[in-house]
Amino acid sequence: MALTSRPRGTNDIIPGEIELWLELEEKIRSVCKAYGYQELRTPLFEHTELFQRGIGDATDIVEKEMYTFMDRGERSITLRPEGTAPLVRAYIENNLGSGALPVKLFYYGPMFRYERPQAGRYRQFTQFGCEALGSADPLLDVETIALPLALYESCGLSGFEVEINSIGCPTCRAAYREKLIEFFTPHRDDLCKSCQGRLERNPMRLLDCKVESCHVVMRDAPEITEYLCTDCSEHFEGVLTYLDAFKIPYTLNSRLVRGFDYYTRTVFEVVSSELGSQNAIGAGGRYDGLIEEVGGKPTPAVGYAVGVERLLLALKGQNKLQLSPTGPNCYVAHFGGATKLKAAQIVQALRARGLWMELDYGDRSMKAQMKAANRLNSQFVLVIGEDEMANNRAVVRNMENGQEEPVSLEDMEQLTKIVGAWAK
Ligand code: AMP
């Protein structure tokens, strides 16, 4: 393994790209503010049991995708594979549910899953998630969908589609579970190894399997929507009513079950026409049992997670990622010695006023410095020579239109005004 290659499935975000991330993060914060969601930051690792209990033992993530290790104190630790279970843990531990409900929170940061890397699927990836805890109102399910859609739209993304389903509550699922076992058992030999293993433990997971032979079997499987209890049916109808009221187009997908055991009732996924096989740019659902499962009071909740890398890929596919080129406000060129000292003082003074200032760190020729200013895309250049030093006066040159303006080397306010006014 070369020391110069990063671990498989990870990415560096380098200058030139990071600006897009920062812009997106700003949009996330702005849309969360409008919907009243506050940021919560949790550790990058948690006790393994939180995910085993929270996400469910018989899920792909817990069975084979977690980065789990023993720490030096012999505790089993896992790098977080998702953000909801940690958020719920933090909600309970910090007693965040003691005030007015619902509590609306968002998180943003890296998640870790040992998956087979490919375009749009990584071992370290970034999720933005919004979660509303403390209300079973179907309006919140729809708000949790509307928020990321507002984000996609504010980025200029088009061509995405909402798929939605209800997977009921433990009551209606018990009957459905039996029906599924009854249906799949005669086909056991046609199922993949994982599905065979899960048939009795967690038959709903089979609906989520991506293996072709399982897909064929699944075609005639019973649909959960026929088994929903009255409460779950009414809730789902409420969700669809609000989706219509918000004019959010959706497709009903009775096979959508999602990869976590904690979901109840509503589940949804947003897919982009821009991406290949990894086309989900976000997904979520209601998890009315999770807070109690983790040790809190019974509390209904609903949430959504956006895959940030995939959103950026989809935006790239639609050429929605053009940023205007940036550069320093001013490059201060000098002739070394005392002129360099003066240049450094000016740079220091204007940086303190918030401007992006650059200068030559070696003692390169004036020609080389001009080349550097151009390469950096500097908006202004100020040249400090012996004469300028002696008179305390110089000219600042606008690199866009070639105009020059005389300035005093003692009047930092004047310089700030001139080179700051052009900030792109
Ligand atoms: P999930 O937490 O599995 O419901 O995923 C929510 C969203 O996160 C997905 O719709 C993807 O956009 C994104 N996502 C999930 N897993 C990965 C991964 N391994 N690499 C990149 N993005 C991912």
Side-chain angles (χ1 to χ4, degrees), residues 61 81-82 113 115 120-123 125-127 258 260 263 269-270 280-284 305-310:
I61 293 183
E82 60 98 55
R113 293 183 197 170
E115 293 198 85
R121 197 206 271 173
Y122 312 105
R123 290 183 174 167
F125 59 98
T126 312
Q127 279 186 341
R258 310 282 306 117
F260 306 89
Y263 284 127
E269 194 158 87
V270 177
I281 48 172
V306 174
V308 177
E309 285 84 357
R310 286 199 204 163

Side-chain angles (χ1 to χ4, degrees), residues 30-315:
S30 141
V31 72
C32 281
K33 195 168 171 197
Y35 281 78
Y37 285 67
Q38 289 180 302
E39 186 167 7
L40 175 82
R41 296 186 189 183
T42 64
L44 296 194
F45 57 84
E46 298 273 354
H47 296 297
T48 302
E49 210 186 337
L50 175 69
F51 300 113
Q52 286 169 335
R53 291 280 294 277
I55 301 174
D57 268 335
T59 57
D60 274 355
I61 293 183
V62 172
E63 276 183 347
K64 48 188 190 208
E65 293 173 4
M66 295 204 304
Y67 279 91
T68 298
F69 58 94
M70 296 302 280
D71 73 5
R72 289 170 195 273
E74 297 293 303
R75 296 171 206 92
S76 180
I77 293 294
T78 294
L79 297 186
R80 63 181 187 192
E82 60 98 55
T84 303
L87 178 133
V88 161
R89 196 262 315 130
Y91 170 86
I92 301 167
E93 190 165 354
N94 296 285
N95 206 15
L96 299 182
S98 59
L101 295 175
V103 174
K104 300 197 278 189
L105 301 166
F106 80 90
Y107 60 83
Y108 175 89
M111 305 294 161
F112 307 86
R113 293 183 197 170
Y114 193 79
E115 293 198 85
R116 197 167 49 79
Q118 54 181 280
R121 197 206 271 173
Y122 312 105
R123 290 183 174 167
Q124 177 177 329
F125 59 98
T126 312
Q127 279 186 341
F128 150 62
C130 52
E131 317 268 348
L133 303 93
S135 167
D137 193 327
L139 173 55
L140 266 184
D141 300 44
V142 174
E143 207 178 274
T144 322
I145 299 173
L147 189 162
L149 294 195
L151 173 71
Y152 300 152
E153 273 159 14
S154 79
C155 296
L157 188 73
S158 54
F160 52 84
E161 218 178 81
V162 179
E163 291 189 8
I164 192 159
N165 190 24
S166 174
I167 54 170
C169 63
T171 315
C172 34
R173 245 185 271 167
Y176 182 55
R177 197 176 173 278
E178 292 313 309
K179 280 279 160 212
L180 278 182
I181 296 176
E182 210 173 280
F183 171 82
F184 279 118
T185 305
H187 302 283
R188 181 187 278 274
D189 293 344
D190 300 324
L191 299 172
C192 73
K193 274 259 158 346
S194 308
C195 284
Q196 288 182 7
R198 287 174 185 158
L199 182 51
E200 270 86 34
R201 275 190 302 154
N202 196 347
M204 275 179 74
R205 288 257 57 79
L206 272 61
L207 300 175
D208 201 30
C209 184
K210 305 281 184 282
V211 176
E212 187 52 37
S213 54
C214 297
H215 262 237
V216 175
V217 177
M218 227 180 287
R219 237 174 256 152
D220 301 319
E223 298 192 351
I224 176 77
T225 23
E226 289 162 30
Y227 294 85
L228 294 183
C229 64
T230 314
D231 282 353
C232 287
S233 278
E234 281 176 9
H235 184 270
F236 196 40
E237 271 165 34
V239 171
L240 302 184
T241 303
Y242 284 117
L243 279 173
D244 290 336
F246 281 28
K247 300 204 171 13
I248 298 176
Y250 57 84
T251 309
L252 294 173
N253 177 357
S254 62
R255 293 279 182 263
L256 187 67
V257 290
R258 310 282 306 117
F260 306 89
D261 279 356
Y262 53 60
Y263 284 127
T264 52
R265 295 188 166 174
T266 327
V267 288
F268 36 84
E269 194 158 87
V270 177
V271 293
S272 163
S273 53
E274 213 50 66
L275 303 173
S277 62
Q278 305 300 311
N279 64 351
I281 48 172
R286 181 162 275 288
Y287 49 94
D288 291 343
L290 179 62
I291 296 166
E292 193 179 4
E293 180 71 34
V294 171
K297 284 193 293 223
T299 309
V302 59
Y304 184 107
V306 174
V308 177
E309 285 84 357
R310 286 199 204 163
L311 173 56
L312 288 169
L313 279 174
L315 287 167

Side-chain angles (χ1 to χ4, degrees), residues 314-334:
L315 287 167
K316 228 174 242 173
Q318 295 185 352
N319 282 326
K320 291 284 161 47
L321 288 182
Q322 258 83 355
L323 280 179
S324 43
T326 57
N329 291 93
C330 185
Y331 188 98
V332 185
H334 58 79

